[in-house]
Amino acid sequence: VNVLFKFYKGTKDPILHYPDQGVDGIGESVVIMLSGLELAKITKNHEDRLFDVNVRLYLGSNRRNKSMENSIKEESELAFFWYGHNGITILCDDYKPKKYEELQSEITVCNPQIVNGCQTANTLKEVFGSRRGNLSDFPILTKIIMLTGNDDNRSDIAEDIAYRTNNQSAIQDADLCANEPTQKEFQKMCAVFDKKWFYERKRGEWKNLRKLNPFMIKKFQKTGTYKRLIERETYQQAWRSYIGEPADAISNKGEVWLRTKGAGKDLYS
């Protein structure tokens, strides 16, 4: 199956042509600025056949996909979409044209498989279907990788790439709040007590501090004593208990990190 992918607003050049690096089973690759509206149409036309190799299918309008929907629907947010989106990865048997100078405004991809970007593609499809003709176009950073060799080899390589592109450490809601002014202020406040405490507002912060600045650790932990460390979960449980929500502090731990509802809305509003 050959599928025509159009560049964003007739972009004349791809961002990057990456030649064959001699990796077994992988040929040359190209990075383009794909039209978001074109991706929505392609996903609608080809449905789940585009995602046979992906490790998961569309998860529906969950919280993260709903946030993406809102970014696409709102003109004021759409301009920032490219800056905050990591892009998608497509594997294929071939693509044309291959010569950098011949890539003008579109590229034909043979047997495309989206191995990273299923949620993005399907969210675009849903939004496009509900608001046909009433959406502005926008760019999506897209990596297209050509596979080589026999079918078994291609299948193994495709599964490996699908695994690697979907195997980064998951971002938690609390991670997204780590640089909030309230979090920074609490960390500073804990560090000025007579007996200084370290508030770990970022995952891995204490571990990295011990590794990169062992002298700083001495402020919070003397040799042979317990470490004066406050973890995020301990902080939120104590705070929610203090404001009269001890049950939610245990049973609904993650809500405090959401800016739009419950305790999180009160904290960040």
Side-chain angles (χ1 to χ4, degrees), residues 9-215:
K9 291 184 178 178
T11 304
K12 292 184 178 180
D13 297 316
I15 296 174
L16 171 70
H17 174 256
Y18 195 57
D20 188 337
Q21 300 295 302
V23 178
D24 186 35
I26 301 178
E28 47 193 316
S29 306
V30 66
V31 180
I32 66 170
M33 292 282 253
L34 179 63
S35 159
L37 295 184
E38 283 298 316
L39 179 59
K41 295 176 186 177
I42 290 167
T43 305
K44 182 178 184 298
N45 291 337
H46 295 276
E47 296 293 338
D48 288 347
R49 287 173 293 176
L50 286 171
F51 312 106
D52 286 341
V53 183
N54 203 295
V55 296
R56 61 183 179 179
L57 295 180
Y58 183 46
L59 300 179
S61 189
N62 59 23
R63 182 162 46 80
R64 296 194 186 280
N65 288 343
K66 191 69 176 176
S67 176
M68 193 188 310
E69 288 179 24
N70 293 334
S71 295
I72 296 167
K73 290 177 181 178
E74 297 294 333
E75 285 289 336
S76 59
E77 293 289 327
L78 189 58
F80 292 95
F81 185 87
W82 186 87
Y83 299 103
H85 191 269
N86 292 330
I88 67 174
T89 302
I90 301 175
L91 306 183
C92 65
D93 292 339
D94 196 8
Y95 64 81
K96 294 180 180 179
K98 287 194 178 64
K99 291 184 178 180
Y100 186 92
E101 60 273 13
E102 293 180 3
L103 284 166
Q104 296 297 319
S105 61
E106 59 189 34
I107 185 171
T108 300
V109 182
C110 178
N111 295 328
Q113 283 291 306
I114 299 178
V115 295
N116 183 262
C118 176
Q119 305 310 308
T120 297
N122 279 281
T123 297
L124 291 178
K125 181 193 74 172
E126 294 299 320
V127 175
F128 178 78
S130 64
R131 299 184 61 173
R132 181 181 296 274
N134 194 29
L135 285 175
S136 299
D137 198 7
F138 52 94
I140 295 181
L141 190 67
T142 303
K143 181 165 54 177
I144 300 174
I145 303 172
M146 186 178 74
L147 303 183
T148 61
N150 57 44
D151 289 343
D152 289 341
N153 190 39
R154 291 187 188 194
S155 179
D156 290 342
I157 293 294
E159 290 180 6
D160 188 30
I161 294 176
Y163 174 79
R164 291 172 184 267
T165 55
N166 289 280
N167 195 41
Q168 291 87 5
S169 297
I171 296 294
Q172 299 177 0
D173 291 317
D175 296 330
L176 300 176
C177 297
N179 288 324
E180 289 283 351
T182 51
Q183 295 292 290
K184 292 181 179 180
E185 187 62 31
F186 185 70
Q187 188 179 55
K188 290 180 181 178
M189 185 176 67
C190 290
V192 297
F193 293 141
D194 289 339
K195 287 189 175 181
K196 295 175 172 52
W197 286 79
F198 184 81
Y199 173 54
E200 189 178 37
R201 60 185 174 89
K202 296 182 179 182
R203 276 192 296 169
E205 197 172 17
W206 175 262
K207 180 179 179 180
N208 279 279
L209 185 65
R210 294 189 63 176
K211 180 179 179 181
L212 300 176
N213 197 344
F215 295 105

